[in-house]
Amino acid sequence: MSFLVGAPPPPTELGRYRILSPTAGIRVSPLALGAMSIGSAWSSFMGSMNKEQSFELLDAYFQKGGNFIDTASNYQNEESERWLGEWMAVRKNRDQLVLATKFTTDYKSYELGKGQVVNCCGNHKKSLHMALRDSLVKLQTDYVDILYLHWWDWTTSIEEVMDALHLVVQQGKVLYLGISDSPAWVVSAANTYARAHAKTPFSIYQGRWNVMHRDFERDILPMARHFGMALAPFHVLGQGKFQSTKEIEERKKKGESLRTLSDAKLSGVEQSEQEIKISSALAKVAEEHGIESVTAIAVAYVMAKYPYVYPIIGGRKVNHLEDNIQSLKINLTEKQIEYLESIAPFDLGFPYNYIGTDLNETGKCPTPIASAGHLAIVRNTQPIRYAQ
């Protein structure tokens, strides 16, 4: 009866797994490892990371309990998928991982020439067929756990997309579907079509979200809640710009500058005035929690907004990974969240500033309803909190 004995404590909170979403029962780590930096082909604008360093980062993530890895067909001119495939083959851990990749972006022009690979880009059936076929070979596997549509291309119908994606699920090449960088109305229409025609819906959405850029909260977050989708935000750390004054000074002493992807080249940049304000606010909240990491607070912020949030953490150093794992032990108070949001006010716009927002989210009745009588509200499911 050994199966009745509980598992030992996880090595870190990274190994305290979660159900991906109400529409996808697969178990995943609370932080996904972004593999955009796995590879050396883009070193001219992303910094350098060789195979040995890549394997070291992947090993550290896996050994700390991580199982959720995110890549794409085009990352690092295909090196990201190839190196991931090699690493999984050497470690023999493919089935222990939840592997997500993406199609849509041109992934062949670096090899075959610009303008010569028109069908290796887009959301249409041929693009999907070729990208997935090639990804499976590079990853040395016969299936991916999650396949994302990388971005909405405005040229392929919702019906063609959902029919084609459902087919690769039926074929067993893909288990769950995700969508990235697409309007909320497109995803809503796609999932409505899928439900009405017995197709596989999208179970996870990926896009930009952080305490400074909160557009996610206007329509994407409510959409995810309605359709039972998970959220996988990137740029949670402000593309590395959320750093305390102390961290900035230490970088200057080492002769290091902040980096950003700009005009396909690596360029030194300074924090904007808004980024400085946000960083200071994050540092203040970090101090209240007895830590120095502003990035841990930035990650904790998005995870406090919805139960099914899986921030994509990138970087190239193991100590950055360890820093981000700190966020999983932080329970932000409502007062701290309100304070952080006050630094960069966000206008939801019409119609929310006219009729109010989801009362199941706020627990408060908007005036038009409250004027008719007293109404008790059941609030939406709240995010998982760290059990101290």
Side-chain angles (χ1 to χ4, degrees):
M1 304 289 285
S2 60
F3 63 90
L4 295 177
V5 178
T12 71
E13 287 300 303
L14 205 55
R16 203 174 299 279
Y17 307 107
R18 303 183 179 192
I19 307 302
L20 180 64
S21 71
T23 56
I26 195 168
R27 281 74 163 147
V28 297
S29 294
L31 300 177
L33 181 65
M36 190 175 182
S37 60
I38 301 296
S40 61
W42 291 356
S43 60
S44 62
F45 60 94
M46 283 197 68
S48 179
M49 193 177 190
N50 60 34
K51 191 179 294 187
E52 182 181 357
Q53 293 168 324
S54 298
F55 280 25
E56 181 183 359
L57 180 64
L58 290 165
D59 284 338
Y61 176 75
F62 184 65
Q63 290 162 7
K64 293 177 186 299
N67 77 337
F68 195 3
I69 299 178
D70 179 271
T71 187
S73 61
N74 68 303
Y75 286 171
Q76 298 283 348
N77 292 351
E78 304 187 84
E79 272 187 355
S80 177
E81 286 187 324
R82 287 198 182 97
W83 289 12
L84 271 172
E86 290 181 34
W87 175 74
M88 291 187 296
V90 171
R91 302 296 185 261
K92 295 181 169 51
N93 61 0
R94 168 63 188 98
D95 287 346
Q96 292 173 268
L97 299 170
V98 176
L99 189 60
T101 193
K102 311 176 190 76
F103 83 103
T104 301
T105 305
D106 162 26
Y107 69 103
K108 281 296 184 183
S109 63
Y110 79 93
E111 179 184 21
L112 302 177
K114 293 286 186 181
Q116 303 299 313
V117 289
V118 66
N119 281 312
C120 290
C121 181
N123 300 330
H124 53 90
K125 290 181 181 179
K126 185 176 177 67
S127 173
L128 167 62
H129 173 79
M130 292 190 295
L132 180 57
R133 176 199 64 195
D134 294 348
S135 289
L136 293 176
V137 172
K138 288 175 285 184
L139 291 166
Q140 301 187 42
T141 185
D142 58 357
Y143 74 102
V144 292
D145 298 277
I146 300 170
L147 179 67
Y148 283 97
L149 180 149
H150 207 159
W151 40 271
W152 191 245
D153 74 356
W154 302 106
T155 67
T156 312
S157 71
I158 287 172
E159 294 79 7
E160 178 178 342
V161 166
M162 300 314 289
D163 289 348
L165 287 172
H166 180 64
L167 180 60
V168 297
V169 172
Q170 286 184 312
Q171 293 170 338
K173 297 175 181 177
V174 174
L175 303 186
Y176 299 97
L177 299 178
I179 185 167
S180 174
D181 303 342
S182 300
W185 71 263
V186 168
V187 184
S188 297
N191 273 4
T192 298
Y193 173 80
R195 286 181 173 181
H197 295 84
K199 307 290 184 180
T200 307
F202 293 118
S203 290
I204 185 169
Y205 182 98
Q206 185 173 143
R208 185 188 68 178
W209 184 22
N210 60 50
V211 68
M212 191 170 79
H213 296 290
R214 295 172 52 207
D215 312 81
F216 236 55
E217 298 171 33
R218 181 177 289 111
D219 288 316
I220 292 170
L221 197 158
M223 171 202 73
R225 192 182 294 281
H226 176 74
F227 286 103
M229 299 175 68
L231 296 172
F234 57 74
H235 290 183
V236 173
L237 308 181
Q239 288 187 287
K241 301 288 191 62
F242 297 160
Q243 296 194 27
S244 67
T245 302
K246 180 181 177 181
E247 289 172 318
I248 294 294
E249 289 303 317
E250 288 178 351
R251 291 183 73 96
K252 287 181 178 178
K253 288 179 182 178
K254 296 177 182 178
E256 298 177 356
S257 63
L258 294 174
R259 289 191 292 247
T260 185
L261 297 180
S262 175
D263 300 323
K265 63 183 179 181
L266 192 66
S267 57
V269 294
E270 299 294 332
Q271 287 175 305
S272 69
E273 184 178 338
Q274 188 71 286
E275 288 161 349
I276 292 172
K277 289 180 180 179
I278 290 289
S279 296
S280 296
L282 291 169
K284 180 177 182 295
V285 175
E287 186 177 356
E288 292 172 1
H289 284 271
I291 63 174
E292 293 187 354
S293 173
V294 299
T295 58
I297 301 300
V299 173
Y301 169 77
V302 296
M303 297 189 76
K305 303 289 286 186
Y306 179 61
Y308 306 99
V309 176
Y310 305 92
I312 297 173
I313 55 173
R316 303 188 304 275
K317 299 179 180 178
V318 173
N319 65 305
H320 292 166
L321 170 63
E322 294 169 344
D323 203 30
N324 290 321
I325 293 174
Q326 283 191 78
S327 65
L328 302 176
K329 291 186 176 183
I330 295 172
N331 293 324
L332 295 180
T333 66
E334 288 192 14
K335 185 177 180 180
Q336 287 171 332
I337 293 172
E338 290 174 3
Y339 166 66
L340 290 172
E341 292 181 344
S342 72
I343 306 301
F346 170 59
D347 182 11
L348 283 170
F350 184 86
Y352 306 106
N353 56 13
Y354 190 69
I355 61 172
T357 55
D358 182 1
L359 54 84
N360 299 108
E361 178 67 15
T362 64
K364 302 174 183 177
C365 283
T367 302
I369 294 179
S371 65
H374 298 287
L375 185 64
I377 303 298
V378 177
R379 295 190 68 174
N380 287 325
T381 304
Q382 295 301 296
I384 297 171
R385 296 178 68 82
Y386 173 65
Q388 298 180 353

